[in-house]
Amino acid sequence: MRRHLLRIAGIDLAAVDGISVSIAQTILSEIGTDMSKWPTVKHFCSWLGLAPKNDITGGKIIRSRTGKTKNRAGQAFRLAASAVTRADCAFGAFYRRKKSHIGPAQAIVATAHMMARTVHFMLKNQVQYVHISAKSFDQRYREQQVRYLHRKAAKLGFRLTPVGASP
């Protein structure tokens, strides 16, 4: 079954964490393999119903939600996202971090959005999925946050030193 998917898409979507062979078939049957239908990944995620719809007035976001859609590919990405909630992968770590900030329902949609962006990149550029563990994903996120804090402190005229380091 997986070999069949390799021949159709040129890549193995079932290798992506959380995407089973049946979910990959649903996604491919709905979107196909030609990503030129959507000008950008943002258009693709909006078509799936995974991008936020912001009501903005006066430069402020009044309400943010995802639009209602009966798109089976979007539903498949949501199902795949719910499959990785406890997994030791980058998508699982992302879900758990988002769940603590915005709640479980919105975290599923955010994780599905991240998975859709990954699949779009894979199909557009014909590259295989590279598994990233939750530990390395969290480590990268921590390093990113530390760089951000150093830049912010420097911008405000401060210098950060790690705890336990001598001044």
Side-chain angles (χ1 to χ4, degrees), residues 71-123:
N71 190 321
R72 280 181 263 171
Q75 293 170 354
F77 278 115
R78 284 182 178 92
L79 185 63
S82 65
V84 296
T85 57
R86 296 177 187 216
D88 181 34
C89 63
F91 297 126
F94 178 79
Y95 168 80
R96 289 185 290 275
R97 189 173 72 236
K98 285 296 185 184
K99 180 183 167 191
S100 67
H101 290 116
I102 59 177
Q106 289 89 352
I108 289 287
V109 175
T111 306
H113 185 249
M114 184 179 183
M115 293 174 108
R117 292 173 70 91
T118 302
V119 167
H120 181 273
F121 181 82
M122 289 171 60
L123 289 173

